[in-house]
Amino acid sequence: MKIAITKQLYEKVRAGYLWVFYDEIKAENLGDGQIVDLYYKDMFVAKAYYNSKSKISYRILSFENQKIDLNFWIKKLELLYKQKSLFYQNNFRWVYSEGDFLPGLIVDLYTSNQVKIAVCMFLTLGIEDQKQNIVEALKKLGVGCIINRSDSNLRTLEGLDLVRKIEYGKIELPFSITIDGITFLIDPLKGQKTGYYFDQTENRKFLKYICKGGVVLDVFSYIGSFSLYCLKYGARFTEMIDESSYVQNVVPQIMKLNNFQDKYILHIDNAFKKLREMNDLGKSFSVVIVDPPSFTKTKDKIQNALKAYFDVYYNALKLVSNEGYFVVSSCSQKVTQEQILQVIRNCFFRANVRGKMIYCGKQAPDHPINPSMPETEYLKFFVFQIYKDE
Ligand code: SAH
């Protein structure tokens, strides 16, 4: 089926924008999930999949005029594997949706005891319809277990139900993986998202320069990835705060596996409350890391999100010792880098401190940013050295 697009849309799409909204194009009588060819005049532009239930009517899957079949998926997955292997081995984000020009699909690869485990998020109807091809392609590429973690709210907007299950193969959960010499236990069914946050990999490595001999506070720690990197790089001790009961069970096992069982305390608590308590006790740390969940997914809630950021950043900042380091992250795509920096300036003023930014990071290279789609850029990460008047 051929769908005509305007010159304006053609130019946008050719530069890499992968979405066509319902009001940008004439309505057609198509089946949901159907694959169509977008044309500008007589020229083929792209293959896209359709969903009448979504505000994004078409998502582009290919700029080549090729069949979207098993072979397409094998070729795409093979190519991405090769590209990502330049940066990482065994454990990485294999497919990052629009950032890898495959809208609606996320695949994280884990390797445990030489078994390749793919954790997939099939986020849209068009991708759900391709699930069998994707699963077959992953199997052909040597994946021994496929876990379906498709419980994102995005699926509701697509008219899909939420799914969390083992799609193919068998695996005991949690399974262990090794990244940068650290052993982690991963449970993609019980954990956050696919089980591990690969997007902070490069930022975690920066901690090497600032944590040696220090005492760390890791706020919103999840399974403690930042803490584990700090301990590996020579930190003396870490305190972690997270409210989830999953973390409560798995963190002690992970610390033991890495021989750090005497070097941490885990506070299962609300971070907003716990930070206030720590301030009341007059505690102080040489490195304070704050990596909160996304406080907003929509534009209309930005002001509330900024208030929440101020609250945790401010109360965390006050716990940094003089000449210590304040490590701040935000993964809200809707909140800009400038908005986060403004919150930080407000925190500096209120806490009567100054800070030098010594590092500024983004998402790791296995989460590539498509410059034509600002929607693909979300992670902000800063390290400040803090100066307090004595
Ligand atoms: N820093 C982690 C990722 C953090 S994800 C890493 O590098 O892997 C955000 C975490 O914040 C989740 O584990 C979630 O359980 C926790 N969380 C969310 N709201 C919280 C709150 N109000 N208090 C404490 N923890 C919270």
Side-chain angles (χ1 to χ4, degrees):
M1 174 87 179
K2 285 185 180 180
I3 306 286
I5 60 171
T6 60
K7 181 162 189 280
Q8 201 186 359
L9 255 177
Y10 160 68
E11 286 173 1
K12 213 165 111 180
V13 166
R14 281 305 283 228
Y17 198 79
L18 304 175
W19 295 347
V20 178
F21 290 88
Y22 70 100
D23 55 356
E24 286 184 307
I25 202 164
K26 193 168 121 265
E28 301 276 352
N29 199 10
L30 296 170
D32 288 344
Q34 192 173 333
I35 290 175
V36 299
D37 298 332
L38 302 184
Y39 270 76
Y40 171 56
K41 295 188 173 161
D42 285 335
M43 197 189 347
F44 169 85
V45 180
K47 291 244 174 209
Y49 60 79
Y50 175 75
N51 186 1
S52 67
K53 294 197 183 66
S54 170
K55 279 193 178 163
I56 306 167
S57 306
Y58 300 87
R59 286 176 165 89
I60 284 147
L61 264 185
S62 170
F63 290 100
E64 272 171 73
N65 198 350
Q66 58 187 329
K67 254 182 119 174
I68 309 296
D69 55 10
L70 176 60
N71 227 1
F72 167 85
W73 288 105
I74 293 176
K75 265 187 351 208
K76 285 278 175 200
L77 288 168
E78 226 167 14
L79 180 68
L80 287 172
Y81 190 95
K82 208 172 100 196
Q83 291 171 351
K84 309 275 169 120
S85 299
L86 289 175
F87 316 114
Y88 306 114
Q89 271 74 53
N90 299 325
N91 303 288
F92 52 80
R93 175 145 295 189
W94 189 344
V95 183
Y96 173 50
S97 207
E98 281 77 4
D100 280 320
F101 306 123
L102 287 177
L105 179 65
I106 286 181
V107 182
D108 278 353
L109 174 72
Y110 297 100
T111 305
S112 182
N113 293 322
Q114 272 135 47
V115 179
K116 284 184 177 166
I117 302 148
V119 183
C120 303
M121 295 174 140
F122 304 102
L123 297 171
T124 57
L125 178 77
I127 288 295
E128 179 72 25
D129 280 3
Q130 293 294 319
K131 191 173 83 184
Q132 267 333 307
N133 281 335
I134 296 167
V135 164
E136 284 311 312
L138 288 169
K139 286 201 242 173
K140 281 231 155 36
L141 297 177
V143 169
C145 177
I146 301 172
I147 300 180
N148 186 346
R149 183 69 201 255
S150 300
D151 59 350
S152 156
N153 286 334
L154 286 177
R155 277 178 65 101
T156 318
L157 302 176
E158 290 276 317
L160 295 167
D161 54 356
L162 307 186
V163 184
R164 236 193 233 213
K165 65 168 191 185
I166 296 187
E167 193 70 44
Y168 162 74
K170 263 196 191 144
I171 190 89
E172 207 176 302
L173 298 175
F175 54 78
S176 70
I177 60 165
T178 305
I179 304 176
D180 291 330
I182 301 168
T183 304
F184 295 89
L185 291 176
I186 306 294
D187 188 333
L189 292 183
K190 286 201 193 121
Q192 299 271 340
K193 303 277 172 76
T194 72
Y196 185 79
Y197 289 95
F198 288 113
D199 52 359
Q200 296 275 25
T201 299
E202 297 305 309
N203 300 330
R204 288 186 187 113
K205 289 182 191 166
F206 184 81
L207 294 165
K208 177 166 76 189
Y209 304 111
I210 58 170
C211 69
K212 204 155 191 269
V215 177
V216 176
L217 176 63
D218 181 1
V219 191
F220 304 100
S221 65
Y222 184 47
I223 57 174
S225 314
F226 278 110
S227 288
L228 287 151
Y229 272 76
C230 288
L231 291 171
K232 183 182 150 75
Y233 294 142
R236 268 186 296 136
F237 199 81
T238 180
E239 292 198 34
M240 301 153 64
I241 308 176
D242 200 286
E243 66 178 6
S244 100
S245 53
Y246 166 67
V247 167
Q248 183 166 27
N249 294 328
V250 78
V251 163
Q253 298 175 52
I254 296 175
M255 287 294 175
K256 184 122 198 285
L257 281 172
N258 291 284
N259 230 344
F260 294 143
Q261 62 273 24
D262 302 325
K263 297 196 166 176
Y264 80 99
I265 296 178
L266 170 62
H267 304 280
I268 299 295
D269 211 335
N270 180 291
F272 294 82
K273 169 174 152 268
K274 189 72 194 169
L275 286 172
R276 284 184 170 76
E277 281 173 24
M278 287 181 154
N279 273 297
D280 290 344
L281 292 171
K283 297 194 88 152
S284 145
F285 300 86
S286 58
V287 178
V288 175
I289 303 160
V290 193
D291 181 24
S294 173
F295 285 140
T296 177
K297 299 257 191 285
T298 55
K299 267 196 172 155
D300 54 319
K301 305 234 169 66
I302 286 181
Q303 287 314 316
N304 287 345
L306 293 176
K307 278 188 196 139
Y309 279 119
F310 180 84
D311 193 317
V312 276
Y313 289 172
Y314 173 67
N315 285 299
L317 171 64
K318 286 194 294 180
L319 297 167
V320 182
S321 58
N322 188 33
E323 294 181 39
Y325 298 92
F326 184 43
V327 180
V328 204
S329 193
S330 160
C331 63
S332 305
Q333 195 273 326
K334 300 285 180 223
V335 177
T336 65
Q337 165 156 322
E338 188 42 36
Q339 282 171 315
I340 292 294
L341 286 174
Q342 185 55 48
V343 170
I344 288 167
R345 287 190 285 267
N346 292 345
C347 293
F348 285 177
F349 172 72
R350 279 279 299 279
N352 191 25
V353 306
R354 279 142 299 283
K356 299 197 287 201
M357 190 196 289
I358 55 171
Y359 177 75
C360 169
K362 287 186 195 288
Q363 58 224 50
D366 54 355
H367 292 59
I369 294 165
N370 174 350
S372 296
M373 292 199 75
E375 296 87 347
T376 57
E377 181 172 2
Y378 66 97
L379 193 68
K380 292 151 283 275
F381 182 89
F382 308 103
V383 180
F384 299 94
Q385 188 170 29
I386 297 301
Y387 294 86
K388 298 186 161 177
D389 299 327
E390 290 296 326

